Amino acid sequence: MTRKLAAGNWKMNGTRAALDDLNAIVSAHGDPGVDILICPPATLLTQAAALTSGKPLDIGAQDCHSYPSGAHTGDISAPMVADAGGRAVIVGHSERRENHNENNDLVRAKAQAANDAGLIAVICIGETLDERENGQTLDIIAEQLKVSTPDTATADNTVIAYEPVWAIGSGKVPSLDQIREVHDFIRKLLIDRFGNSAQGIRILYGGSVKPGNAAEIFAVSNVDGALVGGASLKESDFSPIINALEATA
Ligand code: PGA
């Protein structure tokens, strides 16, 4: 069975001082029963990867360009992430979709670029509040999943993160039934497309996961871990979430 995954997305937070929290997370989880991934800002990738080298915690990036190199000022490519010691890259986060007009086709190209560089693509999908209130959630999820996921996706190179846009950073969390409905739906779509091996593709829930709600979310079927923003910045918040996931593994 694939191991569960506790992933942290530091977003545009953290200078070198934040590496103390990374150290603390590493120290607190010497032999974790789940996979742990931290995605710091690009400026910290190399140092974070060096600091965690040989430890049971992987480092990832928050985005990559779809091309391996070229005239793209300000961007970083998937081979650069791999060269820095990264093992994964988040693609299609709703903040990228919103702030940088990223669409499903571009997200798929980035996921493909990540896989081509030997990285795991953490592909984010999720509906807005308007879409949920209009009853469009499953249609939106189906379309995002279909177009954003490369045909070559496997359990080894792909993680799906279901992140309702309205739950990110808001303190609002869907009901457990709402989470179950979407996660079961994603699993079915993955199996329809990729066959039974898609049972192993991890489906993370993301959006206001905290120490206080992690255990109940992790008990939901087809929730294989979490993508955590705010609560991944401090060891004291992230450790209890890792522990709650371990308790279900
Ligand atoms: P949050 O962010 O945990 O702060 O809601 C989650 C995410 O955007 O990945």
Side-chain angles (χ1 to χ4, degrees):
M1 207 186 104
T2 327
R3 274 158 65 95
K4 304 212 168 174
L5 173 63
N9 170 15
W10 282 7
K11 309 193 180 188
M12 199 171 70
N13 297 294
T15 55
R16 280 177 294 167
L19 295 173
D20 289 348
D21 272 286
L22 187 60
N23 260 325
I25 294 168
V26 170
S27 303
H29 303 277
D31 185 18
V34 298
D35 288 348
I36 306 173
L37 172 71
I38 293 283
C39 299
T43 47
L44 294 179
L45 270 183
T46 306
Q47 285 178 86
L51 197 140
T52 57
S53 171
K55 302 282 193 326
L57 182 154
D58 287 328
I59 298 299
Q62 300 171 14
D63 178 49
C64 66
H65 199 276
S66 60
Y67 291 170
S69 64
H72 303 287
T73 302
D75 281 309
I76 58 171
S77 72
M80 290 171 179
V81 173
D83 180 61
R87 298 285 315 278
V89 56
I90 299 170
V91 294
H93 190 282
S94 63
E95 288 153 15
R96 300 282 321 172
R97 291 176 184 264
E98 165 93 24
N99 298 347
H100 299 270
N101 291 318
E102 296 193 359
N103 63 22
N104 291 321
D105 286 311
L106 180 61
V107 174
R108 184 184 64 253
K110 290 182 174 207
Q112 188 73 64
N115 292 165
D116 290 347
L119 301 172
I120 295 170
V122 180
I123 302 172
C124 301
I125 57 176
E127 81 286 359
T128 64
L129 188 56
D130 269 0
E131 289 162 349
R132 177 158 285 277
E133 286 176 346
N134 290 333
Q136 297 170 290
T137 298
L138 297 186
D139 289 343
I140 293 291
I141 292 298
E143 178 69 10
Q144 289 183 337
L145 185 72
K146 179 168 146 232
V147 185
S148 303
T149 309
D151 287 334
T152 49
T154 68
D156 290 332
N157 68 16
T158 302
V159 171
I160 304 298
Y162 168 54
E163 300 205 305
V165 179
W166 51 276
I168 294 174
S170 65
K172 292 193 195 115
V173 181
S175 72
L176 299 180
D177 280 342
Q178 288 172 326
I179 295 175
R180 182 178 304 108
E181 179 186 35
V182 176
H183 279 245
D184 287 355
F185 181 64
I186 293 171
R187 178 71 69 208
K188 180 185 177 309
L189 294 176
L190 289 172
I191 290 171
D192 286 352
R193 179 166 165 194
F194 296 107
N196 240 342
S197 61
Q199 292 281 13
I201 297 181
R202 290 172 287 188
I203 308 172
L204 310 184
Y205 169 77
S208 296
V209 176
K210 307 285 175 211
N213 61 19
E216 60 183 28
I217 293 172
F218 294 152
V220 173
S221 60
N222 285 312
V223 174
D224 304 310
L227 180 56
V228 183
S232 71
L233 293 169
K234 293 271 158 262
E235 186 275 327
S236 54
D237 289 329
F238 198 43
S239 270
I241 294 173
I242 296 170
N243 295 341
L245 188 60
E246 278 183 320
T248 70

